[in-house]
Structure formats: C-alpha cells, structure tokens
Amino acid sequence: MVKVQVYVTLKEGVLDPQGSAIQNALHTMEYKEVQSVQTGKFIELKIEKTTDLEKRIEEMCEKLLSNPVIEDYTYTIEEVVS
Amino acid sequence: MVKVQVYVTLKEGVLDPQGSAIQNALHTMEYKEVQSVQTGKFIELKIEKTTDLEKRIEEMCEKLLSNPVIEDYTYTIEEVVS
C-alpha cells in the first residue's frame, strides 16, 4: 500500500479569485505582510501497489483529479505499512 | 520574504463526501486499486518576514484559512530569494 499526495494548483497566468479574496481578507485583518495568496487542491489517496503505479497515478490526475487546461499537478508517493 | 504552504484537511471522523465521490469515480474508471481518498485545501502565501512570523501564520490559519471545528492544518515555511 502507498500513500499518494496530489497537489493541484492553477497554471501561471490563470486568475485565482479565491486567492485574491483571501489576501484581501487577511489585509483587512491587519496581516499586511501577506504579499500574495495562491489556492489549490490537496488530495490524498491510499492505493494498492500495481506494477505501473506512476503511469496510473498520472492518468488519474489528468483524467479526473485536475483540469489540464488550467491546472498543474504534482504528487508524492510514500510507502505505508498496512 | 518567505513562502508558506498551508495544508488544510478534514479532522479524523468528519465525513468527506467529495473524497467518496472521487473514489467512486476512480473505481468506475477501473482504478480499483484506490482504497481511500481524502480531499483538502492547499494555500500558498508569500509573506514579508516579521519577528513573530510563526505566531501570525497560526493566527491566519485559525482565524481564516481553516475551520478549527472540522479541519486540521499544517504548514511549511521556505525562504524565498526575492
């Protein structure tokens, strides 16, 4: 069994209204030191190991977990002692 | 300047309908090896360093970036060469 952590973020240049809203709210709360905010998705999967593990993870990311048109993804794989 | 990456996840025992929906979809797409899916938020902030940096980051997390009733958060801090 492995634990896969997928991080999905917006591509460079794609507007992030949620990030801007968070930044404005933080500034209103007097956290003026915040210069930029970018939001994204974090997905953690527990997966039974298969021979073509990385290939299938990338397929899952491209087909379902991220939108390749506007999002980038990265992932980490960690052995899990089950 | 520092880059702070905040990961917000649901507390143990809190239902994650989005995670279940993703898992069902992956199974439908023949990725039966997926045993569990947990979703969360990923927020990246660029912050001017202040003396009480960690304290203020934790305040931001607890007041705005996460809902302490149902969510946990962790964060990493990385120096950024500006």
Side-chain angles (χ1 to χ4, degrees):
Chain A
M1 179 87 84
V2 291
K3 181 166 77 169
V4 178
Q5 296 190 323
V6 178
Y7 307 91
V8 179
T9 52
L10 290 168
K11 284 187 189 289
E12 197 80 34
V14 176
L15 261 182
D16 182 2
Q18 194 177 4
S20 315
I22 290 172
Q23 185 171 353
N24 294 336
L26 287 172
H27 283 183
T28 307
M29 297 161 75
E30 296 307 323
Y31 296 105
K32 306 272 190 211
E33 64 267 33
V34 174
Q35 303 300 309
S36 75
V37 177
Q38 197 194 357
T39 59
K41 286 178 285 189
F42 166 68
I43 302 155
E44 186 173 286
L45 307 105
K46 291 218 173 92
I47 300 180
E48 289 293 347
K49 275 177 97 166
T50 54
T51 46
D52 50 358
L53 178 67
E54 294 225 18
K55 180 175 161 280
R56 288 174 72 81
I57 289 170
E58 279 158 24
E59 282 174 12
M60 293 183 217
C61 287
E62 276 147 29
K63 287 181 187 171
L64 184 72
L65 302 180
S66 77
N67 174 349
V69 175
I70 59 166
E71 292 173 331
D72 288 323
Y73 69 86
T74 56
Y75 62 88
T76 59
I77 300 175
E78 217 181 288
E79 286 286 336
V80 171
V81 180
S82 47
Chain B
M1 178 90 83
V2 291
K3 181 167 78 169
V4 178
Q5 296 190 323
V6 179
Y7 307 91
V8 178
T9 53
L10 291 169
K11 284 187 189 288
E12 197 80 34
V14 176
L15 261 182
D16 182 2
Q18 194 177 3
S20 316
I22 290 172
Q23 183 171 354
N24 293 339
L26 289 171
H27 283 183
T28 307
M29 298 160 74
E30 296 307 324
Y31 296 106
K32 306 272 191 213
E33 64 268 34
V34 174
Q35 302 301 310
S36 74
V37 177
Q38 199 196 356
T39 59
K41 287 178 285 191
F42 167 68
I43 303 156
E44 187 172 286
L45 307 105
K46 291 222 173 88
I47 300 179
E48 289 292 347
K49 276 179 98 168
T50 55
T51 46
D52 51 356
L53 178 67
E54 294 227 15
K55 179 174 163 281
R56 287 174 73 81
I57 290 171
E58 280 160 22
E59 282 173 11
M60 293 183 218
C61 288
E62 275 148 30
K63 286 183 189 172
L64 184 73
L65 304 180
S66 78
N67 175 348
V69 175
I70 59 165
E71 291 173 331
D72 288 322
Y73 69 87
T74 56
Y75 63 89
T76 59
I77 300 176
E78 220 180 287
E79 287 285 335
V80 171
V81 180
S82 48

